[in-house]
Amino acid sequence: ITSQEAGTRFALKQARDERDRLRERLENIESERQQILEETKQQAELELEEVRREIRQVRRKLRDAESLNRLKKLQKETEDVEEELQIAMDLEPMVDEPKKPRRKPHDLRVGDTVLITPLGAKGQIVTLDKREAEVTVGRLHMRARLEELELKKREEMEEVEQSSGRVNVQSPGMELDLRGRRVDESLQILDQYLDTAFLSNLPWVRIIHGKGTGRLREAVRQSLQSNSHVHSWEEGRDGEGGAGVTVVKFVSE
């Protein structure tokens, strides 16, 4: 064998050895890759299971919270009903007075002396439109619907007391119950009641509006803020009906 052939055989053997080494390395790399993939998959499954467990816990807590909220809401509604029943037991039932026929505008004129029938107060018309009139009662100016005014002849009128700025009218009572009425109707009744209570020299009154959704309560309290007779108001105490009652104090002379 010549030296050239020997060199060729040696180079060929080295090439085969290198090929076998690379093939073995490739097989090792593939095995490691499969192992890494398997470990990664197992880790991902563990993490996924942990997330699923946390989701189940959150859902369970949400169901518990919803049940608790429903229970609290039911308890509050029950307490509201009991509170209103307790208030109602102490009140006389309200009786609506029969409505008088609407008085035509031409029956009344500016300058006429009239009796404001809901208040039992006498005054004089200063302005007039198709539905309402502005009437001076002592030093007060108030608006009244035409059907609430009764025309009086001068010889029928008694002298109005003006020394204190108020007139003597019959007391409407210390409480007004608005429960079961619409908001717009309640506000009209409230304004009329406050006028009468103020003119009859009551120091304070209780407005019973109930709790319910709170819509009537908020409307009543907003109306009180703009009423010139009202000095202040506060929520009823525990023994007075709580949030279902508003206690109103009138301005003093």
Side-chain angles (χ1 to χ4, degrees):
I1 300 174
T2 64
S3 59
Q4 184 177 1
E5 290 177 348
T8 300
R9 289 180 179 179
F10 179 75
L12 182 60
K13 183 178 182 302
Q14 283 186 328
R16 288 174 179 171
D17 291 342
E18 182 66 18
R19 181 198 63 186
D20 293 340
R21 187 182 66 80
L22 291 175
R23 181 177 295 171
E24 182 179 359
R25 183 180 177 187
L26 180 61
E27 290 176 354
N28 291 336
I29 291 174
E30 179 64 20
S31 177
E32 291 175 358
R33 187 180 72 86
Q34 291 295 334
Q35 184 178 357
I36 292 173
L37 289 176
E38 184 65 24
E39 291 176 354
T40 302
K41 181 180 178 181
Q42 292 178 357
Q43 181 64 28
E45 289 179 351
L46 291 175
E47 293 178 357
L48 180 59
E49 181 60 29
E50 179 66 19
V51 171
R52 288 172 177 168
R53 186 181 63 82
E54 292 178 358
I55 291 175
R56 288 194 296 269
Q57 289 179 348
V58 170
R59 287 177 176 173
R60 185 165 54 252
K61 290 180 180 179
L62 287 175
R63 286 195 299 269
D64 294 342
E66 289 175 357
S67 299
L68 182 59
N69 288 336
R70 285 195 294 268
L71 179 59
K72 289 182 177 179
K73 183 178 179 181
L74 181 59
Q75 289 176 340
K76 186 177 185 305
E77 290 176 353
T78 303
E79 291 173 357
D80 290 346
V81 172
E82 291 177 350
E83 188 76 34
E84 294 189 6
L85 285 175
Q86 183 62 38
I87 295 174
M89 290 174 62
D90 298 331
L91 299 177
E92 296 180 357
M94 295 183 62
V95 179
D96 293 334
E97 297 181 357
K99 294 184 178 179
K100 296 183 178 181
R102 180 178 294 273
R103 192 175 299 278
K104 296 181 180 179
H106 58 73
D107 291 340
L108 299 172
R109 298 178 182 178
V110 173
D112 282 345
T113 302
V114 293
L115 174 69
I116 306 176
T117 54
L119 306 183
K122 305 176 184 69
Q124 189 175 44
I125 297 177
V126 292
T127 62
L128 183 68
D129 57 32
K130 293 182 178 180
R131 295 185 178 182
E132 293 183 332
E134 182 179 355
V135 182
T136 58
V137 180
R139 299 177 185 175
L140 298 177
H141 287 252
M142 60 181 61
R143 297 196 66 82
R145 296 192 299 273
L146 297 185
E147 62 267 24
E148 297 174 340
L149 302 179
E150 182 179 339
L151 181 63
K152 289 290 184 180
K153 296 180 181 179
R154 290 190 178 275
E155 55 268 22
E156 296 177 351
M157 294 297 296
E158 299 176 357
E159 183 178 355
V160 178
E161 297 179 3
Q162 300 183 6
S163 58
S164 65
R166 298 192 189 184
V167 294
N168 291 327
V169 299
Q170 184 177 359
S171 171
M174 301 290 288
E175 294 178 334
L176 173 65
D177 192 344
L178 298 175
R179 290 173 296 178
R181 298 182 181 273
R182 299 189 307 273
V183 171
D184 53 351
E185 178 188 11
S186 296
L187 294 182
Q188 290 182 356
I189 295 174
L190 175 64
D191 286 341
Q192 180 176 298
Y193 172 78
L194 292 176
D195 286 339
T196 309
F198 177 77
L199 291 173
S200 63
N201 296 312
L202 292 179
W204 57 270
V205 293
R206 296 172 69 239
I207 310 300
I208 303 173
H209 39 65
K211 297 178 181 178
T213 62
R215 184 166 173 261
L216 178 57
R217 177 180 65 239
E218 293 304 317
V220 166
R221 292 179 178 178
Q222 287 181 5
S223 178
L224 293 176
Q225 291 178 355
S226 60
N227 191 295
S228 60
H229 302 327
V230 176
H231 175 267
S232 62
W233 59 264
E234 61 184 19
E235 188 170 287
R237 299 176 182 176
D238 292 339
E240 296 175 328
V245 170
T246 298
V247 179
V248 181
K249 296 181 181 179
F250 292 112
V251 296
S252 58
E253 294 297 338

